[in-house]
Amino acid sequence: MTIRHHPSDESLVRLAAGALGAGPALVVSVHLQGCAVCRDRLARFEAVGGALLEEMSPAALAPDLFGRTLERLDVDPPEPAPRPVANVKRWPALGIELPSAMRGCEIGPWRWLGPGFRWSKVKIEGSPDAKVMLLKGKAGLHLPGHGHTGLEFNQILSGSLSDERGHYFPGDLDEADDEVDHRPVVAGQTDCVCLAAVEGDTRLHGILGRLLRPLVGF
Amino acid sequence: MNEVRQEETPPSPEELILLLEAVARGQDHKAFAQLFAHFAPRVKSFLRRSGLADGVAEEVTQEVMIAVWRKASYFDPRRAGAATWVFTIARNQRIDRLRRLRSAAGEELPDPSEQPDAPPSGEDIALAAEREEQVRKALATLPAEQAAILKLSFFADKPHAEIARELGIPLGTAKSRVRLALARLRAMLDRDL
Ligand SMILES: [Zn+2]
């Protein structure tokens, strides 16, 4: 399977630097799981981080910091307690298999968003404000034309989408900024499920509302 | 031994790898002292640069160095150089600290650096070292303004705004300069593939 749509250099730099929000970081991580090209790009940007760390002018440390650190080396437990691998109970029967990069997320049930269109809230541990959702559209669904207020990340998990800019298949990540105005269609014979995250201050319901409004005609 | 002397000449990338391996193998305090002297002041500098207050930056630096000690056996020179590995630990500890500051629970969150990946092939050994060398060279040859933009994109909280302010250019221009700088870097890195 050839992946044709990848996150931008900027987003990978931000992920490497630890500056990408938890929601977009999750979507990009799902992409990375399936994309060796982007894993290699990320490794390069992390190497940039390593090189920049080497170039940092050393900061002054408290004189006793090393001593205090030594004291803690052998005192604290050397290994963190093993974590539960996945809390399956929090994953309702969505009818799809989710990528393992999403373990640790709490997934809500499918909710109605419009005719042939459903969504489910994805909660990321430790980041309650992240705006992440699963979206599911029936084959043939025409989404209303819409713009974007901030960056939106959309990773195709199953099925396919098309818009004016191209076709998106499983493994593809579409990154759309405020310059993108599009009219996606669920292509092919099967439902399309994607994982989407939005950056910026818009509330989740505002985003869903923006998608929904033209569908129900107000 | 609880004094750490300031390093005179920074260790080479190869020496840093040997020091990490010594810690992984034998819980070597002397090797750790050298790693501490080299990395702790730089990690703190990075944390300060990316917005943590002095006291918090120092606390997180301590956590990072303790993680270096404990996770040294996870370090794999076939994947990344020593500085890159320490950088990713510092980055993850910073994210973790910011999340804990925001959430009342203060729970421990999974650290991605603990997750084992597929074992690397023999080729990867040379590749990782080559990649690091390539990146260092590219950074050294990048024009000064683009290097500055790259640094800000890496360490600033709101990179576009800070780049605009520091270079005295409009926000939209800052965005396109970031794109240009990254395209330049990418061209340099791809050329050597
Ligand atoms: Zn990719």
Side-chain angles (χ1 to χ4, degrees):
Chain A
M1 182 179 60
T2 316
I3 297 173
R4 286 199 182 79
H5 301 273
H6 306 271
S8 66
D9 276 344
E10 259 188 284
S11 295
L12 286 184
V13 162
R14 290 170 67 203
L15 184 70
L20 194 62
L26 174 72
V27 180
V28 175
S29 303
V30 169
H31 178 81
L32 287 166
Q33 245 192 333
C35 184
V37 173
C38 287
R39 285 200 299 273
D40 186 58
R41 290 167 67 208
L42 181 71
R44 281 156 194 266
F45 289 136
E46 286 178 338
V48 170
L52 292 178
L53 180 69
E54 281 288 310
E55 279 179 22
M56 286 266 139
S57 58
L61 302 173
D64 63 341
L65 188 69
F66 180 64
R68 281 189 282 127
T69 307
L70 272 190
E71 278 165 26
R72 282 185 54 195
L73 291 186
D74 306 311
V75 175
D76 295 356
E79 281 295 318
R83 290 187 305 277
V85 175
N87 195 337
V88 186
K89 264 180 274 170
R90 289 185 297 183
W91 288 25
L94 291 173
I96 47 164
E97 205 174 306
L98 293 173
S100 61
M102 290 178 73
R103 67 177 169 234
C105 294
E106 200 174 319
I107 317 279
W110 285 123
R111 294 164 196 269
W112 189 86
L113 183 58
F117 198 15
R118 277 160 204 279
W119 77 288
S120 147
K121 187 171 172 56
V122 175
K123 278 193 204 161
I124 301 174
E125 210 178 341
S127 303
D129 297 332
K131 283 157 284 208
V132 194
M133 68 212 104
L134 287 163
L135 294 169
K136 180 163 84 166
K138 257 184 125 66
L141 174 75
H142 286 247
L143 284 170
H146 63 278
H148 304 84
T149 46
L151 268 187
E152 300 194 6
F153 297 79
N154 194 13
Q155 169 82 10
I156 312 284
L157 300 180
S158 67
S160 70
L161 275 183
S162 295
D163 69 7
E164 298 84 339
R165 300 166 304 146
H167 301 286
Y168 304 87
F169 295 99
D172 281 339
L173 183 144
D174 177 30
E175 192 179 313
D177 62 15
D178 49 13
E179 286 157 23
V180 173
D181 211 52
H182 65 158
R183 212 173 263 282
V185 177
V186 177
Q189 307 299 312
T190 50
D191 292 355
C192 179
V193 179
C194 356
L195 178 68
V198 185
E199 241 180 11
D201 300 327
T202 322
R203 295 172 61 110
L204 185 59
H205 284 100
I207 295 151
L208 294 171
R210 189 151 43 77
L211 277 173
L212 171 68
R213 220 172 295 128
L215 273 181
V216 295
F218 67 91
Chain B
M1 181 196 63
N2 50 14
E3 287 283 302
V4 64
R5 288 195 302 140
Q6 268 198 336
E7 57 175 12
E8 280 137 27
T9 353
S12 70
E14 295 74 28
E15 285 166 335
L16 288 170
I17 289 175
L18 293 177
L19 289 171
L20 275 175
E21 286 176 343
V23 168
R25 229 182 8 251
Q27 304 276 287
D28 185 333
H29 278 187
K30 231 176 115 190
F32 181 71
Q34 277 175 274
L35 289 168
F36 191 97
H38 182 69
F39 283 122
R42 288 174 172 83
V43 165
K44 183 178 170 188
S45 198
F46 155 63
L47 294 169
R48 293 281 290 128
R49 184 70 191 78
S50 56
L52 294 189
D54 193 83
V56 181
E58 197 150 301
E59 273 174 43
V60 177
T61 299
Q62 194 184 24
E63 300 300 331
V64 170
M65 294 315 297
I66 291 171
V68 165
W69 173 261
R70 288 196 194 141
K71 293 179 185 171
S73 60
Y74 290 93
F75 169 68
D76 183 346
R78 291 169 292 184
R79 266 181 209 300
T84 299
W85 185 68
V86 173
F87 168 75
T88 57
I89 291 181
R91 170 197 72 190
N92 295 344
Q93 294 275 350
R94 176 178 165 272
I95 295 175
D96 189 47
R97 176 59 69 111
L98 291 176
R99 278 187 199 171
R100 268 191 284 169
L101 286 176
R102 278 195 298 258
S103 77
E107 53 187 324
E108 283 270 340
L109 294 162
D111 180 342
S113 65
E114 278 167 26
Q115 278 156 28
D117 297 297
S121 68
E123 265 171 57
D124 296 340
I125 306 173
L127 281 180
E130 239 172 65
R131 180 172 60 220
E132 307 260 325
E133 182 52 31
Q134 206 185 34
V135 163
R136 275 194 292 273
K137 267 198 217 145
L139 285 181
T141 39
L142 213 57
E145 190 193 88
Q146 294 196 329
I149 285 174
L150 188 68
K151 249 177 242 188
L152 283 167
S153 338
F154 236 88
F155 296 136
D157 217 28
K158 292 197 166 71
H160 291 143
E162 283 185 42
I163 290 164
R165 199 174 48 238
E166 241 168 80
L167 300 180
I169 53 178
L171 199 65
T173 314
K175 283 186 192 178
S176 52
R177 297 259 179 105
V178 169
R179 254 172 236 161
L180 271 178
L182 289 177
R184 180 76 182 262
L185 177 72
R186 191 176 197 178
M188 285 170 143
L189 295 178
D190 286 349
R191 202 173 41 211
D192 293 332
L193 275 179

mmCIF file of all heavy atoms in Angstrom, chain B residues 139-173:
data_model
loop_
_atom_site.group_PDB
_atom_site.id
_atom_site.type_symbol
_atom_site.label_atom_id
_atom_site.label_comp_id
_atom_site.label_asym_id
_atom_site.label_seq_id
_atom_site.Cartn_x
_atom_site.Cartn_y
_atom_site.Cartn_z
ATOM 1 N N LEU B 139 22.985 21.616 9.495
ATOM 2 C CA LEU B 139 22.747 22.759 10.389
ATOM 3 C C LEU B 139 23.881 23.773 10.286
ATOM 4 O O LEU B 139 23.657 24.979 10.319
ATOM 5 C CB LEU B 139 22.605 22.291 11.833
ATOM 6 C CG LEU B 139 21.287 21.611 12.191
ATOM 7 C CD1 LEU B 139 21.285 21.223 13.658
ATOM 8 C CD2 LEU B 139 20.106 22.526 11.892
ATOM 9 N N ALA B 140 25.102 23.242 10.146
ATOM 10 C CA ALA B 140 26.266 24.135 10.094
ATOM 11 C C ALA B 140 26.308 24.937 8.798
ATOM 12 O O ALA B 140 26.862 26.029 8.769
ATOM 13 C CB ALA B 140 27.549 23.328 10.273
ATOM 14 N N THR B 141 25.725 24.395 7.726
ATOM 15 C CA THR B 141 25.805 25.106 6.446
ATOM 16 C C THR B 141 24.547 25.916 6.136
ATOM 17 O O THR B 141 24.523 26.670 5.180
ATOM 18 C CB THR B 141 26.067 24.125 5.270
ATOM 19 O OG1 THR B 141 25.306 22.947 5.497
ATOM 20 C CG2 THR B 141 27.517 23.772 5.171
ATOM 21 N N LEU B 142 23.523 25.761 6.962
ATOM 22 C CA LEU B 142 22.297 26.535 6.755
ATOM 23 C C LEU B 142 22.610 28.024 6.967
ATOM 24 O O LEU B 142 23.299 28.373 7.914
ATOM 25 C CB LEU B 142 21.250 26.056 7.771
ATOM 26 C CG LEU B 142 19.773 26.061 7.402
ATOM 27 C CD1 LEU B 142 19.505 25.235 6.156
ATOM 28 C CD2 LEU B 142 18.965 25.522 8.561
ATOM 29 N N PRO B 143 22.115 28.907 6.089
ATOM 30 C CA PRO B 143 22.337 30.337 6.314
ATOM 31 C C PRO B 143 21.850 30.759 7.703
ATOM 32 O O PRO B 143 20.882 30.184 8.217
ATOM 33 C CB PRO B 143 21.492 31.005 5.224
ATOM 34 C CG PRO B 143 21.272 29.953 4.192
ATOM 35 C CD PRO B 143 21.321 28.638 4.895
ATOM 36 N N ALA B 144 22.525 31.763 8.286
ATOM 37 C CA ALA B 144 22.276 32.140 9.684
ATOM 38 C C ALA B 144 20.794 32.385 9.974
ATOM 39 O O ALA B 144 20.266 31.899 10.972
ATOM 40 C CB ALA B 144 23.094 33.378 10.036
ATOM 41 N N GLU B 145 20.118 33.109 9.067
ATOM 42 C CA GLU B 145 18.720 33.426 9.358
ATOM 43 C C GLU B 145 17.866 32.164 9.369
ATOM 44 O O GLU B 145 17.001 31.985 10.225
ATOM 45 C CB GLU B 145 18.151 34.417 8.337
ATOM 46 C CG GLU B 145 16.791 34.924 8.792
ATOM 47 C CD GLU B 145 16.022 35.660 7.703
ATOM 48 O OE1 GLU B 145 15.290 35.023 6.931
ATOM 49 O OE2 GLU B 145 16.162 36.892 7.654
ATOM 50 N N GLN B 146 18.151 31.260 8.433
ATOM 51 C CA GLN B 146 17.363 30.031 8.391
ATOM 52 C C GLN B 146 17.655 29.138 9.594
ATOM 53 O O GLN B 146 16.762 28.477 10.111
ATOM 54 C CB GLN B 146 17.629 29.307 7.072
ATOM 55 C CG GLN B 146 17.099 30.134 5.911
ATOM 56 C CD GLN B 146 16.965 29.345 4.631
ATOM 57 O OE1 GLN B 146 17.727 28.419 4.387
ATOM 58 N NE2 GLN B 146 15.996 29.719 3.819
ATOM 59 N N ALA B 147 18.918 29.140 10.046
ATOM 60 C CA ALA B 147 19.259 28.374 11.245
ATOM 61 C C ALA B 147 18.507 28.931 12.443
ATOM 62 O O ALA B 147 17.979 28.182 13.279
ATOM 63 C CB ALA B 147 20.764 28.405 11.489
ATOM 64 N N ALA B 148 18.427 30.268 12.513
ATOM 65 C CA ALA B 148 17.716 30.906 13.624
ATOM 66 C C ALA B 148 16.228 30.551 13.578
ATOM 67 O O ALA B 148 15.608 30.265 14.607
ATOM 68 C CB ALA B 148 17.900 32.421 13.568
ATOM 69 N N ILE B 149 15.665 30.549 12.372
ATOM 70 C CA ILE B 149 14.245 30.218 12.206
ATOM 71 C C ILE B 149 13.993 28.774 12.629
ATOM 72 O O ILE B 149 13.019 28.468 13.323
ATOM 73 C CB ILE B 149 13.813 30.455 10.735
ATOM 74 C CG1 ILE B 149 13.670 31.966 10.501
ATOM 75 C CG2 ILE B 149 12.510 29.744 10.424
ATOM 76 C CD1 ILE B 149 13.401 32.351 9.075
ATOM 77 N N LEU B 150 14.915 27.893 12.236
ATOM 78 C CA LEU B 150 14.766 26.488 12.590
ATOM 79 C C LEU B 150 14.799 26.320 14.112
ATOM 80 O O LEU B 150 13.986 25.588 14.688
ATOM 81 C CB LEU B 150 15.882 25.675 11.932
ATOM 82 C CG LEU B 150 15.733 24.173 12.058
ATOM 83 C CD1 LEU B 150 14.540 23.696 11.246
ATOM 84 C CD2 LEU B 150 16.986 23.461 11.578
ATOM 85 N N LYS B 151 15.728 27.014 14.765
ATOM 86 C CA LYS B 151 15.836 26.942 16.218
ATOM 87 C C LYS B 151 14.547 27.409 16.876
ATOM 88 O O LYS B 151 14.043 26.783 17.799
ATOM 89 C CB LYS B 151 16.994 27.821 16.694
ATOM 90 C CG LYS B 151 18.147 26.993 17.232
ATOM 91 C CD LYS B 151 19.308 27.864 17.617
ATOM 92 C CE LYS B 151 20.504 27.486 16.760
ATOM 93 N NZ LYS B 151 21.742 28.138 17.171
ATOM 94 N N LEU B 152 14.020 28.546 16.377
ATOM 95 C CA LEU B 152 12.789 29.065 16.959
ATOM 96 C C LEU B 152 11.623 28.117 16.709
ATOM 97 O O LEU B 152 10.774 27.926 17.572
ATOM 98 C CB LEU B 152 12.481 30.460 16.403
ATOM 99 C CG LEU B 152 13.327 31.584 17.008
ATOM 100 C CD1 LEU B 152 13.176 32.849 16.199
ATOM 101 C CD2 LEU B 152 12.927 31.843 18.457
ATOM 102 N N SER B 153 11.581 27.487 15.508
ATOM 103 C CA SER B 153 10.477 26.560 15.248
ATOM 104 C C SER B 153 10.567 25.384 16.215
ATOM 105 O O SER B 153 9.575 24.740 16.523
ATOM 106 C CB SER B 153 10.474 25.990 13.838
ATOM 107 O OG SER B 153 11.154 26.770 12.954
ATOM 108 N N PHE B 154 11.790 25.089 16.630
ATOM 109 C CA PHE B 154 11.973 23.947 17.515
ATOM 110 C C PHE B 154 11.627 24.272 18.952
ATOM 111 O O PHE B 154 10.993 23.484 19.637
ATOM 112 C CB PHE B 154 13.428 23.482 17.447
ATOM 113 C CG PHE B 154 13.524 22.060 17.067
ATOM 114 C CD1 PHE B 154 13.578 21.705 15.740
ATOM 115 C CD2 PHE B 154 13.513 21.057 18.025
ATOM 116 C CE1 PHE B 154 13.633 20.376 15.375
ATOM 117 C CE2 PHE B 154 13.576 19.735 17.665
ATOM 118 C CZ PHE B 154 13.633 19.384 16.341
ATOM 119 N N PHE B 155 12.076 25.426 19.409
ATOM 120 C CA PHE B 155 12.032 25.666 20.841
ATOM 121 C C PHE B 155 10.982 26.671 21.285
ATOM 122 O O PHE B 155 10.724 26.806 22.462
ATOM 123 C CB PHE B 155 13.406 26.109 21.337
ATOM 124 C CG PHE B 155 14.445 25.048 21.165
ATOM 125 C CD1 PHE B 155 15.695 25.342 20.670
ATOM 126 C CD2 PHE B 155 14.157 23.730 21.494
ATOM 127 C CE1 PHE B 155 16.652 24.344 20.515
ATOM 128 C CE2 PHE B 155 15.105 22.731 21.337
ATOM 129 C CZ PHE B 155 16.360 23.045 20.851
ATOM 130 N N ALA B 156 10.380 27.389 20.334
ATOM 131 C CA ALA B 156 9.432 28.416 20.759
ATOM 132 C C ALA B 156 8.046 27.813 20.932
ATOM 133 O O ALA B 156 7.687 26.850 20.259
ATOM 134 C CB ALA B 156 9.389 29.534 19.732
ATOM 135 N N ASP B 157 7.297 28.366 21.843
ATOM 136 C CA ASP B 157 5.942 27.892 22.100
ATOM 137 C C ASP B 157 5.006 28.283 20.960
ATOM 138 O O ASP B 157 4.205 27.490 20.492
ATOM 139 C CB ASP B 157 5.457 28.479 23.428
ATOM 140 C CG ASP B 157 4.619 27.477 24.182
ATOM 141 O OD1 ASP B 157 4.852 26.270 23.971
ATOM 142 O OD2 ASP B 157 3.753 27.896 24.960
ATOM 143 N N LYS B 158 5.103 29.533 20.525
ATOM 144 C CA LYS B 158 4.340 30.005 19.368
ATOM 145 C C LYS B 158 5.347 30.451 18.322
ATOM 146 O O LYS B 158 5.639 31.643 18.184
ATOM 147 C CB LYS B 158 3.445 31.181 19.769
ATOM 148 C CG LYS B 158 2.326 30.808 20.713
ATOM 149 C CD LYS B 158 1.264 31.909 20.724
ATOM 150 C CE LYS B 158 -0.014 31.449 21.375
ATOM 151 N NZ LYS B 158 0.112 31.281 22.838
ATOM 152 N N PRO B 159 5.890 29.491 17.569
ATOM 153 C CA PRO B 159 7.039 29.804 16.705
ATOM 154 C C PRO B 159 6.783 30.939 15.720
ATOM 155 O O PRO B 159 7.610 31.824 15.588
ATOM 156 C CB PRO B 159 7.323 28.488 15.981
ATOM 157 C CG PRO B 159 6.345 27.491 16.453
ATOM 158 C CD PRO B 159 5.481 28.109 17.504
ATOM 159 N N HIS B 160 5.628 30.924 15.056
ATOM 160 C CA HIS B 160 5.401 31.950 14.038
ATOM 161 C C HIS B 160 5.426 33.349 14.637
ATOM 162 O O HIS B 160 6.056 34.256 14.109
ATOM 163 C CB HIS B 160 4.076 31.709 13.313
ATOM 164 C CG HIS B 160 4.115 30.488 12.451
ATOM 165 N ND1 HIS B 160 3.040 29.642 12.299
ATOM 166 C CD2 HIS B 160 5.105 29.946 11.720
ATOM 167 C CE1 HIS B 160 3.378 28.647 11.503
ATOM 168 N NE2 HIS B 160 4.624 28.806 11.137
ATOM 169 N N ALA B 161 4.750 33.496 15.771
ATOM 170 C CA ALA B 161 4.690 34.806 16.418
ATOM 171 C C ALA B 161 6.087 35.254 16.858
ATOM 172 O O ALA B 161 6.473 36.409 16.661
ATOM 173 C CB ALA B 161 3.742 34.765 17.605
ATOM 174 N N GLU B 162 6.843 34.317 17.434
ATOM 175 C CA GLU B 162 8.174 34.700 17.920
ATOM 176 C C GLU B 162 9.132 35.015 16.782
ATOM 177 O O GLU B 162 9.964 35.913 16.892
ATOM 178 C CB GLU B 162 8.754 33.606 18.827
ATOM 179 C CG GLU B 162 8.124 33.659 20.204
ATOM 180 C CD GLU B 162 8.747 32.687 21.195
ATOM 181 O OE1 GLU B 162 9.988 32.568 21.205
ATOM 182 O OE2 GLU B 162 7.991 32.046 21.941
ATOM 183 N N ILE B 163 9.009 34.248 15.698
ATOM 184 C CA ILE B 163 9.873 34.516 14.543
ATOM 185 C C ILE B 163 9.528 35.886 13.958
ATOM 186 O O ILE B 163 10.409 36.680 13.638
ATOM 187 C CB ILE B 163 9.725 33.401 13.485
ATOM 188 C CG1 ILE B 163 10.362 32.107 14.016
ATOM 189 C CG2 ILE B 163 10.372 33.797 12.159
ATOM 190 C CD1 ILE B 163 9.968 30.859 13.257
ATOM 191 N N ALA B 164 8.229 36.158 13.866
ATOM 192 C CA ALA B 164 7.796 37.461 13.343
ATOM 193 C C ALA B 164 8.364 38.587 14.201
ATOM 194 O O ALA B 164 8.893 39.568 13.687
ATOM 195 C CB ALA B 164 6.269 37.525 13.302
ATOM 196 N N ARG B 165 8.277 38.404 15.531
ATOM 197 C CA ARG B 165 8.747 39.458 16.422
ATOM 198 C C ARG B 165 10.258 39.607 16.326
ATOM 199 O O ARG B 165 10.779 40.700 16.181
ATOM 200 C CB ARG B 165 8.325 39.156 17.862
ATOM 201 C CG ARG B 165 8.365 40.393 18.753
ATOM 202 C CD ARG B 165 7.801 40.139 20.141
ATOM 203 N NE ARG B 165 8.342 38.932 20.717
ATOM 204 C CZ ARG B 165 7.586 37.895 21.115
ATOM 205 N NH1 ARG B 165 6.287 37.940 20.999
ATOM 206 N NH2 ARG B 165 8.151 36.830 21.645
ATOM 207 N N GLU B 166 10.969 38.462 16.387
ATOM 208 C CA GLU B 166 12.422 38.548 16.420
ATOM 209 C C GLU B 166 13.017 39.090 15.119
ATOM 210 O O GLU B 166 14.026 39.769 15.143
ATOM 211 C CB GLU B 166 13.038 37.203 16.791
ATOM 212 C CG GLU B 166 13.840 37.352 18.073
ATOM 213 C CD GLU B 166 14.262 36.040 18.681
ATOM 214 O OE1 GLU B 166 15.252 35.482 18.181
ATOM 215 O OE2 GLU B 166 13.616 35.607 19.652
ATOM 216 N N LEU B 167 12.382 38.769 14.006
ATOM 217 C CA LEU B 167 12.935 39.233 12.736
ATOM 218 C C LEU B 167 12.240 40.500 12.247
ATOM 219 O O LEU B 167 12.594 41.052 11.207
ATOM 220 C CB LEU B 167 12.821 38.135 11.670
ATOM 221 C CG LEU B 167 13.528 36.809 11.959
ATOM 222 C CD1 LEU B 167 13.313 35.832 10.823
ATOM 223 C CD2 LEU B 167 15.026 37.027 12.176
ATOM 224 N N GLY B 168 11.231 40.964 12.996
ATOM 225 C CA GLY B 168 10.521 42.176 12.602
ATOM 226 C C GLY B 168 9.803 42.028 11.273
ATOM 227 O O GLY B 168 9.858 42.912 10.417
ATOM 228 N N ILE B 169 9.133 40.874 11.070
ATOM 229 C CA ILE B 169 8.407 40.637 9.820
ATOM 230 C C ILE B 169 6.963 40.264 10.141
ATOM 231 O O ILE B 169 6.673 39.826 11.258
ATOM 232 C CB ILE B 169 9.075 39.498 8.979
ATOM 233 C CG1 ILE B 169 9.254 38.239 9.845
ATOM 234 C CG2 ILE B 169 10.421 39.948 8.426
ATOM 235 C CD1 ILE B 169 9.855 37.065 9.107
ATOM 236 N N PRO B 170 6.045 40.444 9.184
ATOM 237 C CA PRO B 170 4.644 40.085 9.450
ATOM 238 C C PRO B 170 4.477 38.572 9.661
ATOM 239 O O PRO B 170 5.310 37.788 9.195
ATOM 240 C CB PRO B 170 3.906 40.517 8.183
ATOM 241 C CG PRO B 170 4.854 41.355 7.404
ATOM 242 C CD PRO B 170 6.228 41.012 7.852
ATOM 243 N N LEU B 171 3.403 38.203 10.343
ATOM 244 C CA LEU B 171 3.136 36.797 10.688
ATOM 245 C C LEU B 171 3.102 35.892 9.453
ATOM 246 O O LEU B 171 3.666 34.799 9.448
ATOM 247 C CB LEU B 171 1.806 36.717 11.434
ATOM 248 C CG LEU B 171 1.560 35.451 12.253
ATOM 249 C CD1 LEU B 171 2.545 35.333 13.397
ATOM 250 C CD2 LEU B 171 0.132 35.450 12.811
ATOM 251 N N GLY B 172 2.426 36.384 8.398
ATOM 252 C CA GLY B 172 2.322 35.586 7.177
ATOM 253 C C GLY B 172 3.694 35.314 6.565
ATOM 254 O O GLY B 172 3.982 34.210 6.090
ATOM 255 N N THR B 173 4.562 36.342 6.623
ATOM 256 C CA THR B 173 5.921 36.186 6.098
ATOM 257 C C THR B 173 6.676 35.161 6.948
ATOM 258 O O THR B 173 7.423 34.333 6.422
ATOM 259 C CB THR B 173 6.665 37.541 6.123
ATOM 260 O OG1 THR B 173 5.786 38.537 5.602
ATOM 261 C CG2 THR B 173 7.925 37.499 5.316
#
